[in-house]
Amino acid sequence: MYDRALQALVKQALEPEWEAKFEPNSYGFRPGRSCHDAVEAIFNAVRYKPKFVLDADVSKCFDRIDHQALLRRVNTYPSLRRQIKVWLKSGVIDRKEMLATDEGTPQGGVISPLLAKIALHGMEIRIEQFARTIPGWRNSKLSLIRYADDFVILHEKLEVVQRSQQIIQDWLSEIGLELKPSKTRVAHTLLPLGNEKPGFDFLGFNIRQYPVGKHQSGKNTQGEKLGYKTIIKPAEKKVALHYQRISEVIDAHKAAPQVALISRLNPVIRGWATYYAAVCSKEIYSELDHQVFQKLRRWARRRHPNKVVNWVNKKYWRTIGNDKWTFATQEDDSLIIMCAHADTPIVRHIKVKGEASPYDGNLAYWSARMGTHPEVPTRESKLLKRQKGKCAHCGLTFKPGDVWEVDHIQPKCKGGEDRYDNLQLLHKHCHDVKTRTDGSGTHGKRPTTEEPDEAKASRPVLKTSGSRKGIT
């Protein structure tokens, strides 16, 4: 426990430094960056031109990193270097057997993800150096997008992608790593390549371009020029695994009450649907809902073999709104409803800025993006996220150096309540303009710092320096 706490302390010291160095298209185990950012980066790289893609994975990344090469890259002061070396060499106990760790980073260690990121840092820089040697490199971008130890390389020419694969293999060998042959393939985003289907899977998403029209790039079997449209959707394997998981839950609750089944299904459905809610998933959601409905009908009829179909349907399904087939049941005084995949709205993900970091001091950007920041009061962070980082009065984005204030949409002197739905964040000068016109009579006075009523229940003590917040 002492070592884990010490590793967390070292991670807090090293991470801000390395977040300022990491490459813009490096994702995975980084604060403020997610799988959706990596997928959106791929979309931006291929949306205007079909490309060949090298889809690769580093074999046993955490187990084979060369310790000396890693310590050279960490390049910290001697005492911390010795401490990190001790952690790397500490060994592993598996089934009461002590195993030496002469290579790799400790699995499950607090600092292991950061060390792995440091070891793989420089991959994108090396590819960029190679790209500058390609004739006309300014007009044909060579892209490398990496999520932890999974990465893709994209370019419009096959020979460039193949050469990039060899360069990456040589680069990885310097730190004791290699590509995993079974998970390394070359494909094309629009056209079939040999026995390979168009497109590729990455982080559970399928990225592929589909022919449309008779212009732009690509050709069909008759040689006619075709256009294309880039579509990202859930990978077929992930859809099949998700339905299998739902089927297992239903089969395990053959004799359980309906409320128990719903309580187990809802987290599975809601979590999976939310993960894929940033891509083209509506058709897959509808198909999954239909399959789940058929599975639940078989589950219900099996429980009542001597009842007619209408009786079974009325027992387990209800009419709610426009949906006549809602799987729901009454429990005490509340109605327990099973959520559907299609109920999850599709909301496009906005990619994080390339070199942005939560440690860069841009409080407005990260509060609006994540809804929380350690240097911004909770109330203001929530308002920034709700307003997408923009002033509710002038509509302009908050910039570093701006001063904002919390305002009551309907003044309290006119009956407005101190609730989040009656609060907004404004520039200081916009707040002054709004105060002069809304008749509140509080121009020039400092706004109240009292927390909204609905927040008091969850956090009775609010520690904040006031409702005004400056960015420096």
Side-chain angles (χ1 to χ4, degrees):
M1 294 303 296
Y2 172 81
D3 277 330
R4 290 182 66 84
L6 191 58
Q7 286 187 21
L9 184 63
V10 172
K11 178 176 179 291
Q12 291 178 7
L14 291 179
E15 191 170 58
E17 172 194 354
W18 280 95
E19 280 296 321
K21 298 179 180 179
F22 285 143
E23 299 140 324
N25 283 318
S26 166
Y27 305 92
F29 306 119
R30 292 186 60 184
R33 291 170 178 251
S34 65
C35 301
H36 301 89
D37 292 311
V39 172
E40 189 67 20
I42 295 175
F43 176 78
N44 293 335
V46 303
R47 63 186 301 184
Y48 298 117
K49 185 177 292 185
K51 293 183 179 180
F52 290 94
V53 56
L54 170 68
D55 180 15
D57 181 21
V58 180
S59 178
K60 297 183 179 179
C61 178
F62 282 83
D63 298 332
R64 293 184 176 179
I65 295 176
D66 182 79
H67 288 174
Q68 294 302 319
L70 174 59
L71 291 172
R72 285 195 299 270
R73 296 194 177 192
V74 173
N75 190 28
T76 186
Y77 57 91
S79 59
L80 182 55
R81 184 182 187 276
R82 288 193 296 269
Q83 179 61 71
I84 294 176
K85 184 177 180 180
V86 169
W87 287 330
L88 294 174
K89 300 288 187 181
S90 60
V92 175
I93 296 179
D94 184 18
R95 297 178 182 177
K96 299 182 179 181
E97 181 181 357
M98 182 68 176
L99 304 176
T101 52
D102 298 324
E103 57 184 6
T105 59
Q107 292 283 355
V110 177
I111 201 173
S112 294
L114 177 60
L115 294 178
K117 289 184 294 183
I118 294 174
L120 295 175
H121 173 65
M123 188 182 297
E124 188 176 349
I125 297 174
R126 180 65 186 93
I127 287 297
E128 184 177 351
Q129 293 173 350
F130 166 63
R132 292 177 180 273
T133 65
I134 304 172
W137 64 274
R138 293 182 182 275
N139 299 323
S140 57
K141 186 177 181 181
L142 176 61
S143 304
L144 185 146
I145 298 158
R146 178 171 61 86
Y147 186 91
D149 58 346
D150 295 335
F151 66 92
V152 295
I153 297 177
L154 301 155
H155 194 267
E156 57 186 288
K157 294 183 179 179
L158 177 59
E159 56 270 20
V160 173
V161 172
Q162 293 173 336
R163 176 58 181 156
S164 299
Q165 179 178 357
Q166 184 60 47
I167 290 174
I168 290 298
Q169 286 177 337
D170 296 339
W171 186 88
L172 288 172
S173 64
E174 298 175 1
I175 55 176
L177 298 175
E178 61 182 4
L179 297 179
K180 190 172 185 178
S182 61
K183 292 188 177 181
T184 301
R185 61 185 287 262
V186 177
H188 193 269
T189 57
L190 177 62
L191 304 174
L193 186 63
N195 295 327
E196 299 286 350
K197 294 181 179 180
F200 61 100
D201 293 345
F202 189 69
L203 302 177
F205 297 89
N206 178 261
I207 299 100
R208 180 179 172 182
Q209 291 168 328
Y210 294 83
V212 294
K214 295 184 179 180
H215 57 283
Q216 296 183 15
S217 60
K219 292 184 178 181
N220 62 7
T221 55
Q222 287 76 33
E224 296 176 334
K225 290 185 178 181
L226 298 174
Y228 60 89
K229 186 174 184 180
T230 304
I231 296 179
I232 302 177
K233 57 185 180 180
E236 292 182 0
K237 292 181 180 179
K238 298 300 180 181
V239 175
L241 287 173
H242 176 59
Y243 178 71
Q244 180 181 350
R245 171 61 178 153
I246 292 177
S247 298
E248 291 173 353
V249 172
I250 296 175
D251 291 339
H253 289 73
K254 290 180 179 179
Q258 186 181 6
V259 64
L261 176 60
I262 293 175
S263 64
R264 288 296 302 274
L265 284 177
N266 277 350
V268 177
I269 294 174
R270 190 181 296 114
W272 192 89
T274 301
Y275 180 75
Y276 290 103
V279 296
C280 302
S281 305
K282 271 300 181 184
E283 291 185 4
I284 293 177
Y285 285 174
S286 299
E287 178 62 26
L288 279 171
D289 286 335
H290 175 70
Q291 294 178 6
V292 173
F293 171 73
Q294 297 296 339
K295 182 75 176 179
L296 289 173
R297 288 188 69 180
R298 292 192 293 270
W299 172 87
R301 291 179 182 179
R302 180 185 179 278
R303 295 164 67 92
H304 306 281
N306 298 325
K307 298 291 185 178
V308 296
V309 174
N310 289 339
W311 185 92
V312 175
N313 294 341
K314 290 181 180 179
K315 178 175 177 62
Y316 294 103
W317 281 270
R318 296 170 180 264
T319 300
I320 299 178
N322 296 327
D323 188 1
K324 298 181 180 180
W325 293 92
T326 302
F327 193 71
T329 184
Q330 192 76 27
E331 182 71 11
D332 296 331
D333 295 332
S334 59
L335 187 64
I336 309 300
I337 303 173
M338 190 191 78
C339 61
H341 295 83
D343 293 340
T344 303
I346 301 297
V347 180
R348 300 304 177 195
H349 181 76
I350 300 176
K351 179 183 172 296
V352 66
K353 294 180 181 178
E355 297 182 352
S357 165
Y359 304 103
D360 60 12
N362 194 342
L363 307 185
Y365 175 77
W366 289 105
S367 296
R369 183 173 181 84
M370 303 172 64
T372 180
H373 196 282
E375 298 183 36
V376 181
T378 303
R379 176 173 65 171
E380 297 172 14
S381 295
K382 290 182 178 181
L383 293 176
L384 278 169
K385 184 172 184 179
R386 188 180 71 186
Q387 297 173 198
K388 299 181 179 179
K390 297 180 180 180
C391 174
H393 183 80
C394 65
L396 298 178
T397 302
F398 290 108
K399 300 292 185 181
D402 290 352
V403 178
W404 63 62
E405 295 181 344
V406 178
D407 170 67
H408 290 82
I409 300 174
Q410 183 179 2
K412 295 184 71 174
C413 63
K414 293 186 175 183
E417 298 182 3
D418 196 27
R419 300 177 59 86
Y420 277 114
D421 55 7
N422 191 46
L423 296 179
Q424 60 184 355
L425 209 60
L426 308 178
H427 287 109
K428 182 180 183 301
H429 56 276
C430 293
H431 191 197
D432 293 340
V433 173
K434 192 260 185 186
T435 302
R436 286 197 299 266
T437 58
D438 64 4
S440 60
T442 59
H443 177 58
K445 295 183 180 180
R446 187 177 183 88
T448 178
T449 60
E450 185 179 357
E451 189 76 358
D453 297 336
E454 59 193 57
K456 292 179 182 178
S458 59
R459 191 178 64 175
V461 179
L462 176 65
K463 296 181 180 180
T464 177
S465 59
S467 60
R468 300 190 181 201
K469 185 70 180 177
I471 306 177
T472 58

